[in-house]
Amino acid sequence: MTLSLGIDIGTSGVRTCVLDAEGKLISTARAVHVQQDTPAIDAEKWWTAVSICISRQIEALKDLDRSGRDIHAISIDGTSGSMVLTDATLSPVSPALMYNSKGFDAEAKRIAASNAPTDHITQGSNSALARAMHLIKQANGQPIHLLHQADFIAAKLLGHGGLSDHNNALKTGFDPEYGVWPAWMESVIDPALLPKVSPVGTPWGTVSPQTAHALALNPLATVYAGTTDSIAAFLAAAPLELGAAVTSVGSTLAIKILSDARVDRPKQGLYSHKIAEYWLVGGASNTGGAVLKHFFDDEALATLSAQMDPAQPSGLDYYPLLSPGERFPVNDPSL
């Protein structure tokens, strides 16, 4: 039976789902991140968590009289803006920086002094491009690839790097409307580091023989261009129809709506991703489940949730953030 494997890399851990040819959910697995709660991470820990999760998924399939050899398609989503620099062998030459790392003021000044549009998504001290520029200064060795989190895992599966998708590359500066990295970026980052970018769902190649053997996967399984975690949530919950909207709450909160018009408002943290012939307009807030988990344990959350009446306004006006910094609906790293 032909199966598909989806790998979701979130803030707190990794989840996998296996679907059959009709899209029916067959099996799931999860694993927590090996290293957490730090803005600078060893990206190999991402791969360790993914490998553990895939191994658990394969064991779950065995209980259903299936195996990893039944998997013919694999795709990955990761936290948008999380990235790392690697050498040609995919060994990290910098720490990995998460999507919520900020304070790259010197890099932001260089971007502002370039020919970048003043309202471009790469402007600001918490932008993904500023983060990439900061990584280059931290590199311990010769960087060859700038890889977003999902790119890095895809590269580990394929055995080679240099590829990304429209959605993960957007905040780093890629223009999905024209399918190019803007020429002005050459003044702030070496173009040779930037990945080749494909639309979501583009086939990239098959799993490397070494990885297929190590993880008991089908060596002929094709790896497809993935997306970001919040867009994966949208695709899982809504049809590709204009006006479809999804709010997803994980460690943080994301709001998306499918539109026929591109809308970008960086001051509000509002931006548009390309999905097929549509634009997925929205933003992501730093408030969300992680704030609740910080203040309440699972038992308290269950008890308090049971007492809530969603139809009755609470009268409260909290804006909970674990630490200073917000992205949407106000893009303010000091909020």
Side-chain angles (χ1 to χ4, degrees), residues 200-244:
V200 176
T202 301
W204 277 345
T206 55
V207 175
S208 73
Q210 296 85 353
T211 302
H213 176 74
L215 297 178
L217 291 169
N218 184 344
L220 298 179
T222 298
V223 178
Y224 291 84
T227 184
T228 69
D229 53 350
S230 61
I231 295 180
F234 178 92
L235 294 173
L240 281 179
E241 297 177 357
L242 290 177

